[in-house]
Amino acid sequence: MAYKRILTGLLLAVSAISIYSFSIDDDVIARVQQQLEKWTEAHPVEKVYLQMDKPYYTAGDDIWFKAYVTVGTTHQLSAYSGVINVELINDQDSIKQSLKLQLTGGTAFGDFALPDTMHEGNYRIRAYTQYMLNAGNDYIFDQAISIGNVITNKVFTKTTFNYSVENGRNVINTVINYVDVSGVPYVGDDASYSVLLNNGVVAKGKGVTDAQGNLNIGIPADNTALLSSGRIVTGLTIVKGNVVYKSIPVRAMAPTADIQFFPESGNMINGSPTKVAFKAIGTDGLGVDIKGAVVDNTGTVVAAINTVHLGMGAFELEPQAGKTYKAEITYPDGTKGIVPLPKATDNGYVMNLSTAAPQWIRLTVSMAKANVSADPGKQISVVAQSSGKVYYAARSNPGSAMFTTVIPKSKFPNGIVQFVLFSATGEPMNERLVFIQNPDQLNLSVSAGAQTYAPRQKVKLNIDAKNKDGKGIVGSFSVAVTDESKVPVDDNSGNNILSTLLLTSDIKGYVEQPGYYFNNINEKTRADLDVLMLTQGYHRYDWKAVMNDKPVANVYAREVNFNISGTITTPSGAPVVKGKVELVNFDDGVLKLDTLTDERGHFAFNGLVFPDSTKFLIQARNAKNKRDVIIKIDTVPPPKIAGYKNAADFKVNVSSSLSNYALNNKLFYAEQIKSGVGNHVITLKEVQIIAKREAFKHSQNLNGAGNADQTFVAKDLINFNCVRLFDCFQGRLTGVTIRGGIPYTTRGGGAMAVIIDGMIVDAGYADNINVNDVQSIEVLRSIGYTAIYGPRAANGAILITTKRGDQRVFTPDNFRSGIKGYYPKGFYKAREFYSPQYDAKINTKLADLRSTIFWKPDLITPEDGKIAVEYFNAGTPGTYRVVVEGIDGDGSIGRQVLRYKVE
């Protein structure tokens, strides 16, 4: 049995007290092992990582990415799920693009084409399998990116924040600078602003830009949440009637910081020395450097406090009975503060782990004297698990006050290992995380034929992948080559395949600069990573649920392929039993399936594979072959979008941070327009909207007809088969829920404004409108669209335009009872990256200006692990950066970065 192997792996203690042997039949360790195995079998852990060609983009760009999906303790490429969802989300929590990709051998690759009308700002790329949602949003892949716009954008902003105290009130003095694409300031122009938190207006005002193009405003700084989660929506009137809106995240730094103390394994026990970690987080969500001292209630200094990395640090402390402790802190600006430490107790346990040695972990468990004397025969157990598998376990001798041992790190896989201290009855008491970085990752070598190349010269990259024994391996890899002179990269701040699969995918909360811990592994990065483990939350395994014999059902099923299911009822709502249901491909009629409903009236067509934009027709009849039935399609609730944990990664000044890259791309886009290629919606130098789509021609949307986060037209509505208007949108509106016929935003929960033909009305009135009288619906959720309506649309707005008699009349797809049109999202077919050949007839000027030089997502090494790829450099000199990432068949993860010169 699996848990018998634990017995042979137990080490003898190096202290005078040996680790006690135990019986498998009734031991706590055996029960923990058995329950964890059961839990892991029922809830396997899937993880996702996306390698992208670049860390940021501009409108008109292509985002190229490869998805790696792993499962289990060894990170093997997953065959558990067959579908991955990838979404592009803006900073207003609106999904701008979404894809479904078919996983083959745990991998898939795809792309987002960004139109040149894309708004400048902060975005996120989120990726997950449906099954992963059972663990919660904290564990899905979600990475911040910036997108600039130098094509249609006319106003560029740069914002600075300065904290001060004025008339006894805390204020953030904010300066917004407005310039055009050439850097010329907008002088004497009207500007307005609204400061928002959770979509509610906190402050607002207006002014005129000064001689430098600046607008000076004051933001109330009493609410610390505003300083990290708030935003400013500002509108600049560049021409009468033409207002350009910008959304700017508030990232203001107050003098103080939020300081938390984390005693190692959770407790401070009087008379037991322990390590205490701390984390200082500024109001901008980032780590703050502090210094100070820990003093007891007599004023005696007992420990020094100094941050070692990103606001984190640790110190040793042996608390004494009858004493209390506090930290006297000095903040970066010289101000001081006092923060009490957690109170020490006379009962409990302390679990100390030292990871400083390269190959060993020293484990020490101390028990309070009160615990030993109260129950001399009491025993405690230590279990160490990673990804649901137990790798080490031990138990104390009866009556022992302390035991210690050393454990080789080679016993554990790379990644987070959780040590848990259990009572004699199996109750989890203490927890400590450690991070293992054994030198047994995939040995990946990437080399080019030379250190220096000429522009437009052909390059041959040689890739050699070996396991820890030096043998070649079969693996799946992706290669991205960029011109780093055009696309500067901070390797520390971003995620990579190692930091994602081994670190951030397993812990809750924000991790600042995750790449730092893996780019140049040394003694300091290991020590900093250990402090991170002491301060970061880890709750992937709820031990009470694990130890409970009652199974916890998964809410989200795993997707291997697509399923189309639903319920057939009578008009009165009764289930139709043994009703016949047919599924027909509406486009060509080639696919035709049929089934019968069960006793609940439920039907399902499973194991379907179809491309995106496929249209289906569902036909249903009751057992008597009558069509007087209602068809309801099952939907899976989407994951929550709001509450992005990595919001601190959003940039305040997107324009300036991407200036070098954006200026190069401006030339690139101009050449694309000449050649008639690229993602160009608008190809005129001056963007003028001279006509609206027929469907929105009577819209009174103040943003312009059809300019909204989500739109529906009469043709959509007629197919929804709903009696009341808002019933049509239940589950169809992003970020909106309908309760009692009233639309509410899911961000803050407030009721949305309802506007019919330009007039605000009661939501109840709107819900009684005949669906056939509605021409269009426009949903405004993001600040860029709602700001123009002011406070009345603080929670968003739904604009309804009624028919005027001059629009087309649409016939519903459900032209009679028992027939329903269904248009699900299918598999996206990824485009192929174009790698120009300078020895062929091409547009050399266009090829010269590219910043992504080469992208190859589908690289499979043969058995000897050696493979080569070829491409041409661009026509411009610079430093070229090659990133190769991937996983072999055993789940070993590899990453290698190579740089060479082009001159």
Side-chain angles (χ1 to χ4, degrees):
M1 298 177 70
Y3 44 85
K4 285 184 179 180
R5 292 193 296 270
I6 298 174
L7 290 172
T8 60
L10 294 178
L11 294 178
L12 294 179
V14 297
S15 65
I17 303 171
S18 64
I19 298 175
Y20 193 80
S21 62
F22 55 88
S23 168
I24 293 176
D25 296 331
D26 58 0
D27 189 80
V28 168
I29 293 175
R31 185 152 59 90
V32 170
Q33 169 80 0
Q34 290 170 326
Q35 293 300 106
L36 192 58
E37 282 184 349
K38 287 168 57 178
W39 177 272
T40 304
E41 184 177 351
H43 307 278
V45 174
E46 273 193 327
K47 300 178 181 180
V48 168
Y49 167 69
L50 296 190
Q51 180 184 0
M52 289 175 275
D53 65 313
K54 291 191 284 271
Y56 47 81
Y57 302 86
T58 63
D61 253 338
D62 293 301
I63 300 177
W64 303 95
F65 62 85
K66 179 177 181 178
Y68 293 89
V69 182
T70 67
V71 66
T73 59
T74 57
H75 301 104
Q76 289 184 307
L77 290 170
S78 177
Y80 193 71
S81 292
V83 182
I84 185 172
N85 303 277
V86 186
E87 299 163 343
L88 178 64
I89 306 171
N90 69 6
D91 61 356
Q92 297 299 305
D93 300 331
S94 177
I95 298 176
K96 308 310 293 183
Q97 296 186 41
S98 64
L99 304 174
K100 283 185 177 291
L101 301 174
Q102 187 170 22
L103 290 167
T104 303
T107 67
F109 49 92
D111 55 88
F112 288 119
L114 305 179
D116 54 13
T117 53
M118 196 91 179
H119 286 287
E120 169 194 282
N122 291 293
Y123 291 78
R124 308 147 50 188
I125 291 186
R126 185 170 73 168
Y128 57 92
T129 66
Q130 180 174 287
Y131 168 77
M132 287 174 64
L133 301 180
N134 291 296
N137 282 20
D138 285 291
Y139 301 110
I140 67 178
F141 180 88
D142 206 337
Q143 182 168 319
I145 63 169
S146 299
I147 298 177
N149 188 323
V150 292
I151 308 300
T152 62
N153 187 19
K154 296 179 180 298
V155 178
F156 298 83
T157 61
K158 185 174 183 179
T159 307
T160 58
F161 301 98
N162 182 36
Y163 185 93
S164 67
V165 180
E166 299 177 4
N167 299 321
R169 297 189 61 187
N170 299 323
V171 177
I172 299 296
N173 294 311
T174 305
V175 179
I176 306 175
N177 178 252
Y178 306 85
V179 298
D180 65 14
V181 68
S182 301
V184 178
Y186 284 98
V187 178
D189 291 318
D190 293 332
S192 62
Y193 70 89
S194 295
V195 183
L196 297 101
L197 178 64
N198 297 326
N199 221 26
V201 178
V202 176
K204 63 179 180 177
K206 57 184 178 180
V208 177
T209 56
D210 64 17
Q212 288 75 43
N214 294 330
L215 177 69
N216 295 275
I217 64 178
I219 299 176
D222 297 322
N223 188 341
T224 55
L226 179 66
L227 307 186
S228 60
S229 304
R231 64 186 57 256
I232 302 170
V233 175
T234 177
L236 182 73
T237 304
I238 56 176
V239 179
K240 187 176 182 180
N242 187 358
V243 182
V244 178
Y245 288 96
K246 295 287 180 178
S247 177
I248 303 166
V250 177
R251 292 290 182 269
M253 185 62 192
T256 59
D258 176 42
I259 302 175
Q260 298 183 54
F261 293 93
F262 303 89
E264 186 174 14
S265 79
N267 300 321
M268 287 201 307
I269 307 299
N270 287 320
S272 296
T274 190
K275 183 185 294 182
V276 179
F278 63 87
K279 179 179 286 189
I281 303 297
T283 50
D284 59 357
L286 303 176
V288 174
D289 288 334
I290 61 171
K291 59 183 179 180
V294 177
V295 299
D296 63 18
N297 53 320
T298 68
T300 303
V301 175
V302 296
I305 293 177
N306 287 289
T307 52
V308 294
H309 181 64
L310 300 176
M312 296 179 291
F315 54 85
E316 298 287 339
L317 180 65
E318 184 175 344
Q320 301 299 319
K323 290 188 176 182
T324 58
Y325 301 88
K326 62 184 178 182
E328 296 179 345
I329 303 296
T330 300
Y331 296 103
D333 68 345
T335 58
K336 298 182 181 298
I338 295 177
V339 182
L341 265 65
K343 189 176 180 180
T345 65
D346 294 322
N347 296 289
Y349 304 85
V350 173
M351 182 168 53
N352 300 120
L353 287 100
S354 173
T355 61
Q359 298 177 335
W360 299 87
I361 298 172
R362 180 178 291 276
L363 167 67
T364 303
V365 178
S366 304
M367 311 166 207
K369 294 180 180 179
N371 291 84
V372 178
S373 59
D375 188 358
K378 192 172 185 179
Q379 293 176 298
I380 56 173
S381 303
V382 177
V383 172
Q385 68 85 23
S386 179
S387 299
K389 181 178 179 180
V390 174
Y391 288 89
Y392 175 82
R395 191 171 69 180
S396 69
N397 280 325
S400 300
M402 183 179 74
F403 73 79
T404 183
T405 187
V406 291
I407 313 164
K409 291 181 179 179
S410 59
K411 288 183 66 69
F412 305 103
N414 285 309
I416 294 176
V417 177
Q418 180 192 36
F419 282 77
V420 183
L421 195 63
F422 287 91
S423 69
T425 59
E427 191 75 18
M429 300 182 297
N430 297 60
E431 174 189 305
R432 167 71 153 98
L433 303 182
V434 298
F435 197 92
I436 302 297
Q437 287 180 309
N438 287 320
D440 60 355
Q441 285 293 334
L442 184 63
N443 294 315
L444 189 60
S445 172
V446 181
S447 61
Q451 291 293 320
T452 304
Y453 285 87
R456 302 182 182 177
Q457 185 178 353
K458 180 182 283 190
V459 176
K460 182 177 181 180
L461 282 181
N462 295 297
I463 299 169
D464 189 1
K466 292 183 171 62
N467 61 19
K468 62 181 180 181
D469 299 322
K471 296 181 179 180
I473 56 88
V474 176
S476 178
F477 297 90
S478 41
V479 182
V481 183
T482 56
D483 182 351
E484 201 167 25
S485 306
K486 299 171 184 174
V487 192
V489 176
D490 181 359
D491 281 327
N492 289 339
S493 62
N495 260 313
N496 58 51
I497 193 169
L498 297 169
S499 64
T500 297
L501 296 180
L502 300 180
L503 178 63
T504 57
S505 61
D506 263 331
I507 54 180
K508 289 189 174 183
Y510 171 62
V511 177
E512 186 178 353
Q513 296 187 11
Y516 161 80
Y517 304 102
F518 299 88
N519 287 330
N520 182 24
I521 299 174
N522 52 49
E523 186 176 343
K524 183 175 188 321
T525 60
R526 289 192 186 97
D528 293 340
L529 186 51
D530 192 54
V531 175
L532 178 70
M533 293 295 96
L534 288 164
T535 62
Q536 204 76 25
Y538 177 92
H539 300 287
R540 187 180 277 279
Y541 295 93
D542 182 342
W543 283 103
K544 289 186 177 179
V546 169
M547 299 302 287
N548 193 337
D549 281 325
K550 295 181 180 178
V552 178
N554 289 321
V555 176
Y556 295 89
R558 70 185 181 109
E559 280 187 297
V560 178
N561 289 307
F562 293 129
N563 301 323
I564 296 177
S565 62
T567 304
I568 309 299
T569 67
T570 65
S572 63
V576 173
V577 181
K578 293 185 179 180
K580 185 176 181 180
V581 185
E582 291 182 329
L583 178 71
V584 180
N585 185 329
F586 192 73
D587 293 322
D588 53 27
V590 173
L591 175 67
K592 187 174 182 180
L593 303 172
D594 62 79
T595 188
L596 298 177
T597 59
D598 60 18
E599 65 278 359
R600 298 176 293 116
H602 192 261
F603 69 90
F605 297 99
N606 298 322
L608 303 177
V609 176
F610 50 83
D612 204 11
S613 303
T614 301
K615 298 179 180 179
F616 290 102
L617 196 66
I618 299 176
Q619 304 180 77
R621 298 185 294 274
N622 61 22
K624 297 181 179 180
N625 210 34
K626 302 294 184 181
R627 295 186 180 273
D628 190 20
V629 296
I630 304 297
I631 303 171
K632 296 179 181 179
I633 304 296
D634 291 338
T635 58
V636 176
K640 183 182 71 171
I641 299 178
Y644 179 45
K645 71 176 183 178
N646 298 328
D649 286 338
F650 281 168
K651 297 185 182 299
V652 173
N653 298 304
V654 173
S655 303
S656 58
S657 65
L658 304 185
S659 58
N660 182 55
Y661 177 64
L663 289 175
N664 174 78
N665 272 18
K666 185 179 181 181
L667 301 174
F668 183 60
Y669 298 152
E671 194 63 35
Q672 281 186 319
I673 291 172
K674 290 180 185 178
S675 303
V677 298
N679 311 317
H680 302 295
V681 176
I682 299 169
T683 58
L684 300 177
K685 290 184 179 179
E686 293 296 328
V687 181
Q688 294 181 348
I689 300 176
I690 59 175
K692 297 297 178 183
R693 286 182 293 168
E694 179 76 14
F696 297 101
K697 72 177 184 178
H698 294 300
S699 167
Q700 296 187 40
N701 186 345
L702 299 181
N703 298 287
N707 292 328
D709 293 297
Q710 209 172 352
T711 60
F712 297 90
V713 295
K715 185 176 181 180
D716 302 319
L717 304 176
I718 205 71
N719 289 319
F720 288 166
N721 296 315
C722 45
V723 178
R724 292 181 176 273
L725 180 62
F726 286 143
D727 288 345
C728 295
F729 304 114
Q730 190 68 266
R732 290 187 172 96
L733 298 185
T734 302
V736 179
T737 183
I738 309 295
R739 300 197 301 269
I742 299 175
Y744 292 87
T745 176
T746 58
R747 194 170 53 219
M752 302 176 70
V754 178
I755 303 174
I756 299 179
D757 295 332
M759 296 179 58
I760 293 184
V761 300
D762 181 80
Y765 171 78
D767 200 27
N768 289 317
I769 292 179
N770 190 321
V771 176
N772 296 320
D773 293 334
V774 176
Q775 177 57 28
S776 67
I777 302 285
E778 297 161 273
V779 183
L780 312 182
R781 293 183 59 251
S782 62
I783 301 303
Y785 290 129
T786 61
I788 198 169
Y789 286 90
R792 59 184 178 174
N795 295 312
I798 294 183
L799 313 183
I800 301 171
T801 302
T802 58
K803 292 180 179 179
R804 301 293 197 274
D806 58 350
Q807 285 97 353
R808 293 174 55 196
V809 176
F810 294 101
T811 302
D813 291 342
N814 300 53
F815 49 88
R816 61 184 185 270
S817 297
I819 300 179
K820 186 178 184 65
Y822 181 52
Y823 315 135
K825 182 172 282 294
F827 286 128
Y828 172 73
K829 183 179 181 180
R831 294 176 297 151
E832 183 176 353
F833 178 83
Y834 171 63
S835 183
Q837 304 285 323
Y838 280 98
D839 53 2
K841 186 177 180 181
I842 64 165
N843 183 331
T844 56
K845 188 173 182 180
L846 184 63
D848 286 347
L849 292 169
R850 59 203 161 101
S851 56
T852 296
I853 310 302
F854 183 68
W855 168 250
K856 181 70 172 174
D858 54 348
L859 201 63
I860 306 296
T861 55
E863 290 186 359
D864 64 358
K866 296 180 179 181
I867 197 167
V869 294
E870 294 181 337
Y871 59 89
F872 285 87
N873 291 324
T876 52
T879 300
Y880 284 30
R881 178 175 181 259
V882 181
V883 179
V884 180
E885 296 184 324
I887 304 176
D888 72 2
D890 294 326
S892 296
I893 305 168
R895 181 176 192 265
Q896 192 61 254
V897 178
L898 170 73
R899 288 178 171 88
Y900 62 86
K901 294 286 187 180
V902 175
E903 55 188 31

